[in-house]
Amino acid sequence: MQAVYDFLNWIDGNILWGIPMIILILGCGVFLTIRAKFFQVRKFGLSFQRTFGDSFRQMKKKEKNNDKSNISPFEAFATAVSGTIGTGNIVGVTTAIVSGGPGAVFWMWISAFFGSMTKFSEIVLGVFYRKKDDNNEFIGGPMYYIEQGTGKKWLAVLFAVFAIFASIGIGSVQADTIQKTWFSLTDGKLATWITAIIVVFFAALVLIGGIKRIGKVASILVPFMAVFFILLSIVILIINISAIPVAFASIFTSAFSTKSLIGGFAGYGISIAMRFGFARGVFCNEAGLGSSPIAHCTTTNKEPVEQALWGVFEVFLVNFIICTMTALCVLTSGQIVSNASDGAVVAMTTFSGKFGLVGEIMYSIILPLFAFSTVLAWAVYGSKATQFLFNKHQKGANLGFNIVYLVIILALGFVTSFAGDNIGSDFIWLISDMTNALMAIPNLIGLFILSKQVLKITKNYFDRKNGLPVEPMISAYSDLEN
């Protein structure tokens, strides 16, 4: 297993997440940002107003979504965020710091800044090219805008195949984290196979209800998780307030350092910090992967640009708020002693070190909730990709994927329980990193080709809002224009 891990790790680090991938992801974000004249900066206020602002007003008026097939814009956002606010924001950020040094956080910020425009573009195209499936539910994502927008069906098929494997890999990462967290909390008394059964049971209950139930569960879990985690982090940062300036200094100095760092961090160069920063940054916000628009496409919102504004705010919330708070909590806690430190252990120690047993219990609740919500979101992504591949048998494809998805999570729980150290968290994280990269490649190619279309749809939206007499660009299909 060690030889296999070393070989895959070499492929992951030197090819899939090497300099070419970093250039492709960052280049796509920079390209779209420049073409859109820094849209994510100019329209950030509008994105907040049209997302959380509108949602709060609807909640105040007690407006309900009466569409029995699809979900509200906020529920679509919550489903997408539940796929991004997972262990990547806690364990993933910690692992990036452990492996790439504090400078990895800086490159996560850079990834997020340009990635917000990438995600905006993905959602615009996703909603514009979406269709309705056999259940009268909206279905869309990169596989549809690649096929319909570029005419390259083979590229769309590649994305769908990679998305299925990525879904299984990331779902396994989340489930593995839940299992390891509760195993540690109970001092090994709660076997991972038992936790796997619990996770699969509750996931099955939600998945049976389809996208409506997933959206409803996500809309409850996401606000609770985000607020609870932010409050917990604020308390830790107040306790460690004197160490915050040093933490920020280490982020910026490490980001551009080519020499060894003193204080426990291994001396990695800029390239290693960039690699882990971008890899974990993309893992956190999913910008460029093409997964998030799959959830956003299920919304009742007819306007591609309005729904895409949720994507801009989504990246801001995930990377600039939650990931940054995680990083500062870890860096100010002094828990990292070497590059051999385990990210999950460091993250748990950060919380338990300040709150004792209470902190450990809170961490052991909030992290599994983060992870469970991600398990649900990636089940949606995988099932929609399967429906695309088996278009003539959509209902069977959806059910078939969900069964395989849950069975694999359950099987891995048993394997982890009885194989011990032969199957480690690092191996599962590695597989997830690799499948993320493979999934991103066809999507980024599609975004480059369709960038002009994004600008046209966006301009059309603002022209209409400014009262200009132009034909609406809401859907690629005339029967869905109204």
Side-chain angles (χ1 to χ4, degrees):
M1 287 298 298
Q2 185 61 47
V4 173
Y5 176 83
D6 290 342
F7 176 69
L8 293 178
N9 191 49
W10 181 87
I11 293 177
D12 185 54
N14 293 280
I15 300 176
L16 295 180
W17 282 112
I19 297 300
M21 177 57 76
I22 290 175
I23 292 174
L24 182 60
I25 291 179
L26 182 60
C28 184
V30 172
F31 174 72
L32 292 169
T33 296
I34 292 174
R35 289 207 70 175
K37 299 177 182 178
F38 289 82
F39 177 92
Q40 69 269 50
V41 177
R42 293 186 295 107
K43 300 295 183 180
F44 180 77
L46 179 65
S47 72
F48 185 84
Q49 176 189 339
R50 292 296 171 86
T51 53
F52 266 26
D54 285 352
S55 291
F56 284 136
R57 280 189 288 273
Q58 289 171 6
M59 289 171 62
K60 199 171 182 180
K61 295 178 181 179
K62 297 182 179 179
E63 295 180 10
K64 293 184 178 179
N65 172 25
N66 296 317
D67 191 318
K68 298 184 182 299
S69 301
N70 300 289
I71 62 181
S72 70
F74 177 74
E75 288 171 339
F77 162 79
T79 303
V81 169
S82 67
T84 56
I85 299 184
T87 55
N89 303 96
I90 303 176
V91 179
V93 172
T94 307
T95 302
I97 296 172
V98 169
S99 303
V105 178
F106 174 83
W107 296 111
M108 288 180 68
W109 292 337
I110 297 299
S111 169
F113 177 78
F114 292 108
S116 60
M117 193 60 217
T118 303
K119 177 162 284 192
F120 173 85
S121 302
E122 291 174 320
I123 299 172
V124 166
L125 293 172
V127 175
F128 184 75
Y129 285 102
R130 68 182 176 177
K131 297 181 177 181
K132 284 197 171 184
D133 65 10
D134 296 341
N135 294 322
N136 202 39
E137 294 178 359
F138 281 119
I139 182 171
M143 51 277 195
Y144 291 93
Y145 61 70
I146 291 173
E147 179 186 34
Q148 299 298 321
T150 71
K152 302 180 186 299
K153 185 172 183 178
W154 63 271
L155 196 61
V157 170
L158 273 182
F159 173 85
V161 171
F162 293 147
I164 292 171
F165 283 105
S167 299
I168 294 172
I170 294 174
S172 300
V173 164
Q174 309 303 321
D176 178 72
T177 300
I178 297 173
Q179 295 157 19
K180 296 292 177 59
T181 301
W182 285 352
F183 183 84
S184 176
L185 180 66
T186 60
D187 293 324
K189 294 178 182 177
L190 185 60
T192 56
W193 66 270
I194 296 177
T195 307
I197 291 175
I198 295 173
V199 171
V200 168
F201 173 75
F202 283 104
L205 287 181
V206 178
L207 294 178
I208 287 171
I211 189 64
K212 285 286 287 184
R213 185 177 297 176
I214 293 171
K216 187 65 66 179
V217 171
S219 68
I220 296 172
L221 282 180
V222 167
F224 167 76
M225 293 187 305
V227 171
F228 184 76
F229 179 76
I230 289 172
L231 290 176
L232 204 62
S233 299
I234 288 174
V235 173
I236 293 177
L237 293 177
I238 290 175
I239 295 173
N240 298 332
I241 192 167
S242 61
I244 292 178
V246 177
F248 271 112
S250 69
I251 290 173
F252 288 103
T253 56
S254 174
F256 301 99
S257 175
T258 57
K259 298 180 180 180
S260 297
L261 295 172
I262 300 173
F265 298 102
Y268 297 104
I270 297 174
S271 62
I272 299 299
M274 289 179 66
R275 175 198 160 190
F276 281 97
F278 278 110
R280 290 292 180 259
V282 172
F283 194 87
C284 289
N285 61 47
E286 296 179 16
L289 297 187
S291 52
S292 184
I294 297 175
H296 283 281
C297 286
T298 60
T299 179
T300 55
N301 196 343
K302 294 181 179 180
E303 290 284 357
V305 172
E306 285 185 1
Q307 191 60 36
L309 290 173
W310 281 100
V312 176
F313 186 78
E314 185 180 315
V315 175
F316 173 78
L317 173 66
V318 171
N319 278 86
F320 288 105
I321 302 297
I322 295 179
C323 286
T324 298
M325 297 191 85
T326 301
L328 290 176
C329 285
V330 170
L331 291 172
T332 59
S333 69
Q335 295 297 331
I336 300 178
V337 296
S338 72
N339 66 313
S341 301
D342 182 88
V345 174
V346 170
M348 177 176 282
T349 307
T350 297
F351 287 87
S352 62
K354 295 300 176 185
F355 302 104
L357 179 60
V358 175
E360 190 172 341
I361 292 174
M362 288 191 292
Y363 176 86
S364 300
I365 293 174
I366 193 68
L367 185 64
L369 284 177
F370 274 106
F372 182 72
S373 67
T374 307
V375 169
L376 298 180
W378 279 89
V380 173
Y381 303 156
S383 64
K384 297 301 183 184
T386 307
Q387 283 182 253
F388 172 79
L389 293 178
F390 300 94
N391 185 52
K392 294 182 179 179
H393 308 282
Q394 291 183 357
K395 292 182 180 179
N398 184 40
L399 177 62
F401 173 82
N402 285 335
I403 291 174
V404 171
Y405 183 74
L406 295 175
V407 166
I408 290 177
I409 289 176
L410 184 63
L412 285 174
F414 278 85
V415 170
T416 302
S417 186
F418 297 108
D421 292 334
N422 290 330
I423 301 292
S425 299
D426 288 345
F427 188 85
I428 300 178
W429 274 102
L430 176 61
I431 296 299
S432 298
D433 267 355
M434 295 179 70
T435 51
N436 274 353
L438 291 172
M439 185 176 169
I441 294 171
N443 179 53
L444 292 170
I445 293 172
L447 289 176
F448 273 113
I449 296 173
L450 296 173
S451 61
K452 186 176 181 180
Q453 183 75 333
V454 174
L455 298 179
K456 287 175 62 178
I457 297 169
T458 303
K459 183 178 184 301
N460 177 270
Y461 171 79
F462 286 104
D463 283 347
R464 285 186 285 117
K465 291 302 176 183
N466 290 329
L468 296 180
V470 295
E471 286 294 321
M473 291 184 68
I474 295 175
S475 174
Y477 316 103
S478 57
D479 59 326
L480 295 179
E481 281 282 1
N482 300 313

